[in-house]
Amino acid sequence: METYWIALVLVSAATHPLRDLVLKGVAHPVSCYVGVSLTWVIMAAVHTLVMGHDLSLPYEVWPFVAISALGLTIYYYGTLSALRRGNLSVYYPIIRSSPIAIVAFSWLALDQHYSWFTLVGIALVLLGSLMIQKLPGGLLHDHRAFALASMAMLGSAAYSLSDAHAMKLTNPAPFLFFTYTLVTPLLAGIRAWEDRHLSAPFMGVVRGWAQAPVRIEFAGIVSYLSYLFILTAFQLGAETATVSAVRQASIPVSVTLAAIILKESRFLHRIGWASLIALGILLITLSRG
């Protein structure tokens, strides 16, 4: 069974970067992610109907819906804002480093202690996250983009922990339906706030959808299927930090795709430090104790 959920997470990791790759460079990224979220709502409703599940949730699941929706909103906004300012291959590894926050929360809130191997893993992740951005003249090319990527990472940790607990109590499709029913208006509100100086700020959401409908639909479908594998792994009993660590296989995938398709430079430099991040996160998970 463990081999099965690891395989599911690896498939998810291989396909997850496609969403950000497809949407990189769009004129209205937040609007596009409103479209992606709406696609998730529709797919989750259809999925629930096809599987014959009840489109309702137990009372005890609703706090997890709220936490996941907030974490996802922070994650999406931080991701989009960071990628708007910098290269996919630079900031995607930082965004995907949520196991650091998961382990830190467990240590601070749950009084869990860690071995020296775990501390070494944390050091490797921090080193890789910084050095992957190193350019002549400064360690961090863009401090604001780094902060936004870190914010996205914290949001990812929050919804990962919440989703893992929710999957012990309900099925993925109805949970995703209600979660993204909340995420969609939250992202639309952020987009409207960005256009608050205009006479009709919510029209920006519509324009973003109209300018890239095929890319939005493709990104929504791919990302929904990708995350469905993760929720299935949680249902099989996989532990949150372990799943998050295995998902770091998406880091070298994102760097490779960015170099091949987006023609981003310094591939060997970034793939080396990205691999160090993945190794560090793997050590964090395997050495917890």
Side-chain angles (χ1 to χ4, degrees):
M1 188 64 70
E2 181 174 318
T3 302
Y4 180 57
W5 74 252
I6 290 176
L8 289 174
V9 176
L10 287 175
V11 172
S12 174
T15 56
H16 185 270
L18 293 176
R19 182 195 61 199
D20 294 323
L21 181 69
V22 168
L23 296 180
K24 170 68 174 174
V26 293
H28 303 282
V30 176
S31 299
C32 289
Y33 272 68
V34 173
V36 169
S37 297
L38 183 58
T39 301
W40 277 51
V41 173
I42 296 171
M43 290 193 68
V46 173
H47 184 194
T48 301
L49 180 64
V50 170
M51 297 299 294
H53 294 152
D54 184 18
L55 193 59
S56 63
L57 295 175
Y59 175 78
E60 58 269 23
V61 176
W62 282 102
F64 297 119
V65 170
I67 294 170
S68 293
L70 180 60
L72 283 162
T73 301
I74 294 172
Y75 165 71
Y76 282 135
Y77 182 73
T79 297
L80 292 169
S81 300
L83 296 183
R84 189 160 46 189
R85 297 176 66 94
N87 287 341
L88 174 68
S89 56
V90 174
Y91 295 108
Y92 186 82
I94 301 169
I95 293 166
R96 298 311 307 165
S97 298
S98 58
I100 300 176
I102 294 172
V103 170
F105 178 82
S106 299
W107 177 55
L108 294 172
L110 304 179
D111 195 30
Q112 185 168 347
H113 301 284
Y114 298 97
S115 67
W116 281 105
F117 283 107
T118 300
L119 298 178
V120 170
I122 293 174
L124 290 176
V125 171
L126 292 176
L127 177 62
S129 297
L130 292 173
M131 294 301 294
I132 199 171
Q133 300 181 88
K134 191 177 188 309
L135 294 172
L139 181 63
L140 294 179
H141 178 61
D142 188 331
H143 291 80
R144 179 173 172 79
F146 180 79
L148 288 165
S150 299
M151 182 178 74
M153 180 266 289
L154 293 175
S156 176
Y159 80 72
S160 295
L161 286 165
S162 179
D163 291 355
H165 283 84
M167 286 305 98
K168 299 175 183 178
L169 304 170
T170 189
N171 292 307
F175 178 77
L176 290 175
F177 174 81
F178 287 106
T179 298
Y180 276 82
T181 297
L182 293 178
V183 171
T184 301
L186 285 173
L187 289 177
I190 290 173
R191 180 69 177 99
W193 180 80
E194 290 183 339
D195 285 346
R196 62 191 180 279
H197 59 285
L198 302 177
S199 58
F202 275 100
M203 286 303 297
V205 177
V206 178
R207 285 194 298 269
W209 178 282
Q211 290 180 8
V214 176
R215 293 167 71 179
I216 290 172
E217 291 296 335
F218 178 79
I221 293 170
V222 168
S223 58
Y224 181 86
L225 295 176
S226 175
Y227 199 62
L228 190 61
F229 292 139
I230 299 300
L231 295 185
T232 302
F234 286 146
Q235 280 194 310
L236 294 173
E239 195 270 333
T240 312
T242 305
V243 170
S244 296
V246 176
R247 289 186 77 189
Q248 302 318 303
S250 63
I251 292 176
V253 172
S254 71
V255 171
T256 302
L257 290 176
I260 295 173
I261 299 176
L262 301 181
K263 307 301 181 183
E264 292 184 358
S265 61
R266 307 177 78 224
F267 169 72
L268 292 179
H269 168 86
R270 289 172 177 164
I271 195 67
W273 292 115
S275 299
L276 187 65
I277 293 172
L279 174 61
I281 294 173
L282 184 61
L283 284 177
I284 290 172
T285 300
L286 296 181
S287 304
R288 296 182 306 118

